[in-house]
Amino acid sequence: MSLKVDLKHTSWIPVEKDSDFPIQNLPFGVFKTDTLSPRVGVAIGKKIVDLKTLSVLGYLKNLPFTTEDFDTDYLNSMMLKGKKDVGELRLRIYKLLLSDFPDLRDNDNHVSQVLVEQDEAEMLLPIDTRDYTDFYSSEQHAYNVGCLFRDPKNALLPNWKHIPVGYHGRASSIIVSGQPIYRPKGQMKPPTTEVPVFGPSKLLDFELETVFFTFQGKPLGEPITTAEADDYIFGMALFNDWSARDIQGWEYVPLGPFLGKNFASSVSPWIVTLDALEFFRIPGPKQEPKILPYLEYEGNKHIDINLEVLIQPEGGKENLVGKSNFKYMYWNMNQQLAHHTVNGCNINVGDAMGSGTISGPNEGQYGSMLETSWKGTKPFKLSDGTTRTFIQDGDTVIMRGYCEKDGLRIGFGEVSTKVLPAK
Ligand code: CA
């Protein structure tokens, strides 16, 4: 039984009107505190529901989970149970938190054990990802990059409208929001030099993306269809897929991104389940030319998710750089997963699939500094009077995202990462 969004439902836990985490959301994460070891939690309002303690106190009986599934550093063992069981777990938590459901609400002793203030918790990397794939599925972003590096007439390469283009990224350097990164060093060849030089990247950039994490897939050799894909997607998070444009520009021919990409990808700590996002499904763009049958899909598979990216200089204020939306994707997640597995490639629990940079059609809607500053030719002015073409040391890049419809807001929280000088 999957959880149906009911706009009227409220929780006995206070949830402010503009909160990302109403009872209809209930995203999963992993947290610890000064006194509690790492464990699985669910966000609601400004609180975290401690699932380990909830299980120990007997509130998760008759579900196919043990306390060990929550007394752990990652969501993986919980996710291994699959879509149906995780959906039922979420439904149980939903019931326990409903305003008129007294079982937990009226037991003050248990409530005090189960609820943790988000302010007092440290959020940890929620998922142990073994394989990370990065797509390139926003048409406006691909078009902008094509204009910058080729010309507007040949901006999209011939394969782009036939294949959800992607490459295999690096899972070891996926980090959680709050963890700073060091400016990467590497080989670059500026147009002004004859031979390559080595040093800190001068063109460090963010990429405004979302990521989805998978349940356990099928055995090697068995594709997942677009119709089946929803059953293999656990949920989504915000994703800053860092790029060193100068390192990338010199190294990428002929095998694609490598050291310009693999030094860090930052993820937000709360995984919003696909179940919580169903209410915000919308139709996707018309896909012309006609796509191959294995990429065709039925129903609304795109999702309306507002996205924004901000730069906060050291000691300064936040500056909104771009506002985009997940609806600008040309290829949806079902098509990405069907394409990824059509050759028989298997996916495992916890695999991460990046959307690719998501840009909207207009200026102010771009998901990278490469586009915002138009390859460094249009500096972006911050409120403190300084300008940015790319990201400077001491800058914090913040991404936020939320869905909103009929008064219901389902949010993702944020992914925030500070850039420290190169080591
Ligand atoms: Ca990317």
Side-chain angles (χ1 to χ4, degrees):
M1 178 166 37
S2 78
L3 194 60
K4 281 255 173 358
V5 170
D6 189 325
L7 300 180
K8 292 188 292 293
H9 284 167
T10 55
S11 174
W12 48 266
I13 298 174
V15 177
E16 292 183 350
K17 204 177 166 5
D18 60 349
S19 171
D20 278 348
F21 308 123
I23 190 170
Q24 290 84 356
N25 191 349
L26 304 183
F28 290 93
V30 175
F31 72 99
K32 68 174 182 181
T33 69
D34 290 345
T35 52
L36 300 176
S37 58
R39 62 194 60 200
V40 176
V42 158
I44 180 161
K46 292 180 173 172
K47 309 277 188 190
I48 299 173
V49 181
D50 170 353
L51 296 199
K52 178 193 170 183
T53 304
L54 204 60
S55 176
V56 167
L57 294 175
Y59 287 98
L60 302 179
K61 270 188 289 202
N62 303 318
L63 287 169
F65 295 89
T66 63
T67 299
E68 285 68 41
D69 293 323
F70 310 115
D71 184 14
T72 165
D73 291 347
Y74 296 107
L75 299 177
N76 293 51
S77 69
M78 180 193 89
M79 291 163 66
L80 260 178
K81 309 285 181 181
K83 178 102 170 178
K84 185 174 161 288
D85 289 349
V86 171
E88 288 196 11
L89 169 66
R90 194 164 152 272
L91 185 61
R92 174 73 62 87
I93 300 163
Y94 186 89
K95 270 190 193 154
L96 288 167
L97 301 178
L98 273 175
S99 288
D100 48 9
F101 199 78
D103 288 27
L104 177 61
R105 182 193 70 193
D106 293 351
N107 190 324
D108 291 346
N109 176 26
H110 285 181
V111 168
S112 69
Q113 290 184 62
V114 159
L115 293 187
V116 175
E117 295 288 340
Q118 283 173 26
D119 280 349
E120 287 164 18
E122 180 188 346
M123 298 307 299
L124 307 172
L125 184 68
I127 292 175
D128 184 17
T129 292
R130 285 166 55 189
D131 278 304
Y132 159 42
T133 301
D134 192 19
F135 286 95
Y136 189 60
S137 290
S138 150
E139 180 172 3
Q140 189 66 45
H141 173 70
Y143 174 80
N144 289 344
V145 172
C147 289
L148 286 167
F149 291 97
R150 286 183 299 278
D151 68 277
K153 277 194 191 119
N154 301 297
L156 292 185
L157 289 169
N159 62 2
W160 201 88
K161 291 209 163 179
H162 297 279
I163 288 178
V165 171
Y167 72 97
H168 287 301
R170 184 79 190 166
S172 66
S173 54
I174 295 178
I175 55 172
V176 74
S177 176
Q179 184 175 338
I181 63 165
Y182 294 95
R183 178 175 298 272
K185 290 193 283 194
Q187 238 192 77
M188 300 154 277
K189 204 198 80 60
T192 48
T193 63
E194 283 295 312
V195 291
V197 298
F198 178 84
S201 166
K202 292 187 169 65
L203 308 183
L204 180 62
D205 201 355
F206 56 77
E207 291 190 336
L208 174 60
E209 302 196 19
T210 60
V211 61
F212 72 86
F213 293 95
T214 61
F215 289 117
Q216 184 62 33
K218 294 184 183 178
L220 185 67
E222 292 184 33
I224 294 169
T225 67
T226 57
E228 294 167 331
D230 286 347
D231 291 339
Y232 292 92
I233 299 173
F234 167 56
M236 296 177 66
L238 304 168
F239 201 54
N240 181 352
D241 194 26
W242 293 93
S243 296
R245 303 291 180 194
D246 38 10
I247 296 172
Q248 190 178 356
W250 171 234
E251 75 180 356
Y252 83 101
V253 178
L255 288 187
F258 191 31
L259 303 187
K261 292 296 305 172
N262 68 6
F263 56 93
S265 305
S266 308
V267 68
S268 54
W270 292 109
I271 312 301
V272 178
T273 62
L274 201 58
D275 285 345
L277 297 167
E278 287 297 333
F279 185 58
F280 304 95
R281 294 276 199 188
I282 50 169
K286 185 168 166 55
Q287 293 183 315
E288 276 291 338
K290 194 169 160 50
I291 53 175
L292 286 166
Y294 81 92
L295 289 169
E296 288 173 359
Y297 65 95
E298 287 183 4
N300 291 344
K301 294 301 173 198
H302 283 62
I303 308 176
D304 185 355
I305 307 173
N306 299 292
L307 301 169
E308 57 187 41
V309 55
L310 307 98
I311 297 174
Q312 183 174 30
E314 183 96 63
K317 293 198 181 99
E318 293 180 0
N319 294 259
L320 182 66
V321 181
K323 271 177 109 115
S324 187
N325 193 303
F326 187 59
K327 71 183 176 188
Y328 295 131
M329 298 281 282
Y330 188 80
W331 301 103
N332 59 49
M333 296 184 286
N334 299 58
Q335 292 178 307
Q336 291 172 335
L337 201 50
H339 181 67
H340 200 313
T341 60
V342 74
N343 65 345
C345 174
N346 52 337
I347 57 156
N348 286 300
V349 67
D351 282 1
M353 310 265 173
S355 59
T357 309
I358 306 168
S359 292
N362 303 309
E363 271 187 58
Q365 297 181 320
Y366 298 159
S368 67
M369 287 308 290
L370 177 70
E371 294 161 273
T372 299
S373 75
W374 210 251
K375 217 176 169 184
T377 61
K378 292 184 185 175
F380 182 87
K381 202 167 177 198
L382 303 189
S383 60
D384 64 4
T386 62
T387 59
R388 294 289 183 281
T389 48
F390 290 90
I391 301 304
Q392 293 184 1
D393 291 347
D395 287 350
T396 298
V397 174
I398 303 157
M399 295 174 180
R400 302 200 176 100
Y402 62 94
C403 306
E404 203 159 40
K405 190 174 113 183
D406 298 347
L408 177 66
R409 177 186 168 111
I410 298 280
F412 286 78
E414 66 176 32
V415 55
S416 169
T417 311
K418 185 172 182 176
V419 175
L420 303 176
K423 269 193 173 174

